[in-house]
Amino acid sequence: MEKTLDIIPVSEWGFFTLPRPMVIAGPCSAESEEQVLETARGLASWGIHMFRAGIWKPRTHPGCFEGVGVAGLKWLKKVKEETGMAVCTEVANEKHVYECLKYGVDMLWIGARTTANPFLMQEIADALQDTDVPVLVKNPINPDLELWIGALERLNQAGIKKLGVIHRGFSTTNSKPYRNAPGWQLAIELRARFPELPFFADPSHMGGSRKYLQELSQRAMDLGLEGLMIESHCNPDVALSDAKQQLTPTDLRTLIESLIIREKDSVDQDYREGIEQLRAQIDILDENLLNTLGSRMDVSQKIGTYKRDHNVAILQMARWDEIMDEMKKNARVHGLSEKFIEAVFNAIHEESVRIQNEVLAGGPQA
Ligand code: PEP
Ligand code: MN
């Protein structure tokens, strides 16, 4: 039986208001009291209600800036007092949780490297037992939906009902042009399994560069996600971490105000929002198809070179008949008609043979 999560709706958490997007913004890292407060003032001035800042930073290499630690919690407290914003930070172990509870941090998030570690997730869940602090769980760095769900289940079993997720993309061998591959289809699957979970996207860590923030944020909205977590720094170019992906509070405002949000308010609007979301899903699937076809043709080219170097003929009908039989069998499993699959794979085969012939004729080679 499919498991469910016991969730308190995000509208009852007291921080976020509609219309979409609900925005969490602030620097990658708290660096100094001045930097934290100046950024917070800039964000509060145009209506941000939830401030983020990393205090303990999980860094790939030792020797990079690893966060200011507990000192930063005092600055977050000042942000609350001065601006009225709620504040959140990342926790990666029980000690972080206890410190945050002591300093009145309003919301916590779990970083991608921590979500992937069931021991740490259990430790954090135990430390949060019977508290009322909302927790947002980022996806694990690898595209493993079950690991992501497992982390949510551990928190939920510890009584955390103000639960949500942040989609920040996945670390894969090819995530170009982004820092992390968006892998939106996993987000869509999670959304379909737990529609009650508030869903944020993190275009900053997905994109890794200011230039991708707009398109990724728009896509998150087109998929119907509730919110965005975006990094903002009063002086991004000199940020001690993630300098390339942070926006000034003013630039963030411009971005948020430029987003096209399709909300539902009538039967007709309902339909339009539904169709837009489905189209956004189709766009992602089509992009994946193109990627896969590109990779397949790269391999065809390599095979062409290999056959040429070993003096082997290009067209090997027996091998192709075998592939086609297998595909037709699999087609049924996926609910696809044999006729359709035959047409698609004949086209693929034709192109593959053409590429290999090109290699033979001295054209592009792998
Ligand atoms: C962050 O939000 O600053 C962060 C470290 O993110 P992630 O865990 O997604 O890498
Ligand atoms: Mn960051």
Side-chain angles (χ1 to χ4, degrees):
M1 196 187 76
E2 197 117 293
K3 292 195 194 120
T4 55
L5 296 168
D6 186 8
I7 301 294
I8 296 178
V10 69
S11 55
E12 292 171 29
W13 298 7
F15 313 127
F16 299 110
T17 48
L18 288 169
R20 292 191 298 141
M22 300 169 178
V23 180
I24 303 166
C28 177
S29 305
E31 299 167 8
S32 69
E33 184 172 331
E34 296 68 39
Q35 169 251 4
V36 166
L37 282 169
E38 192 184 332
T39 308
R41 284 182 202 120
L43 293 166
S45 73
W46 59 273
I48 294 293
H49 299 299
M50 178 59 83
F51 184 75
R52 65 150 276 158
I55 303 292
W56 300 281
K57 300 302 298 178
R59 305 308 300 277
T60 304
H61 297 285
C64 295
F65 176 64
E66 292 186 326
V68 294
V70 175
L73 293 173
K74 298 191 182 107
W75 308 335
L76 288 185
K77 208 157 167 240
K78 284 205 174 156
V79 167
K80 281 176 72 163
E81 285 158 9
E82 199 189 298
T83 68
M85 276 191 285
V87 295
C88 64
T89 196
E90 173 177 339
V91 291
N93 60 36
E94 63 178 1
K95 182 177 163 292
H96 297 164
V97 172
Y98 294 134
E99 294 292 356
C100 287
L101 294 176
K102 200 158 77 192
Y103 282 89
V105 173
D106 301 286
M107 187 173 84
L108 305 175
W109 84 80
I110 310 292
R113 294 154 196 79
T114 309
T115 307
N117 184 330
F119 291 127
L120 285 174
M121 281 314 306
Q122 194 56 53
E123 177 181 310
I124 291 168
D126 292 343
L128 282 167
Q129 183 90 41
D130 302 325
T131 65
D132 192 32
V133 189
V135 184
L136 301 182
V137 181
K138 288 197 171 196
N139 60 267
I141 35 182
N142 50 325
D144 183 337
L145 191 58
E146 294 307 321
L147 207 47
W148 198 359
I149 294 172
L152 291 162
E153 286 168 347
R154 286 177 199 278
L155 291 165
N156 206 216
Q157 278 174 16
I160 306 295
K161 295 184 183 177
K162 293 177 182 166
L163 261 188
V165 288
I166 306 174
H167 183 49
R168 50 78 83 193
F170 303 99
S171 185
T172 59
T173 46
N174 180 14
S175 53
K176 281 193 197 97
Y178 306 118
R179 175 176 172 184
N180 288 295
W184 291 109
Q185 63 278 26
L186 250 88
I188 293 166
E189 252 179 75
L190 185 67
R191 171 122 268 210
R193 275 181 56 185
F194 303 103
E196 66 281 19
L197 264 183
F199 220 116
F200 292 77
D202 173 351
S204 307
H205 291 92
M206 214 178 254
S209 160
R210 281 186 268 288
K211 68 174 176 239
Y212 299 124
L213 296 177
Q214 166 80 34
E215 66 191 51
L216 291 167
S217 303
Q218 184 61 54
R219 183 153 266 191
M221 290 302 100
D222 292 344
L223 287 170
L225 306 193
E226 276 79 29
L228 298 169
M229 176 189 255
I230 305 196
E231 289 185 339
S232 175
H233 189 293
C234 54
N235 193 354
D237 290 333
V238 299
L240 297 180
S241 58
D242 289 350
K244 283 196 246 137
Q245 69 194 31
Q246 305 205 57
L247 287 177
T248 63
T250 310
D251 287 346
L252 178 57
R253 177 181 193 168
T254 308
L255 185 154
I256 298 295
E257 289 178 355
S258 75
L259 294 174
I260 300 162
I261 310 293
R262 297 169 183 93
E263 298 292 354
K264 36 180 152 181
D265 56 10
S266 74
V267 177
D268 194 32
Q269 280 288 104
D270 250 349
Y271 163 76
R272 276 184 36 208
E273 177 162 70
I275 201 84
E276 287 300 336
Q277 289 185 21
L278 290 170
R279 283 181 179 150
Q281 290 180 30
I282 288 279
D283 288 349
I284 287 159
L285 292 169
D286 284 350
E287 254 171 46
N288 291 344
L289 278 175
L290 279 181
N291 264 332
T292 306
L293 285 172
S295 307
R296 195 194 188 285
M297 291 310 160
D298 285 348
V299 175
S300 290
Q301 204 175 70
K302 283 189 189 132
I303 290 183
T305 310
Y306 207 64
K307 284 182 183 164
R308 187 205 55 201
D309 292 345
H310 292 80
N311 222 8
V312 172
I314 285 176
L315 196 57
Q316 294 181 358
M317 256 356 253
R319 156 98 177 123
W320 181 246
D321 287 345
E322 228 175 78
I323 294 180
M324 194 58 114
D325 279 351
E326 195 58 25
M327 284 301 154
K328 282 197 214 158
K329 241 189 282 155
N330 284 339
R332 281 194 291 272
V333 178
H334 291 282
L336 300 162
S337 82
E338 273 191 29
K339 205 167 152 230
F340 169 61
I341 285 305
E342 197 167 1
V344 169
F345 277 89
N346 272 330
I348 290 175
H349 187 232
E350 211 177 297
E351 176 66 359
S352 182
V353 169
R354 189 191 65 75
I355 286 173
Q356 293 187 31
N357 273 322
E358 226 179 10
V359 173
L360 208 62
Q365 296 180 25

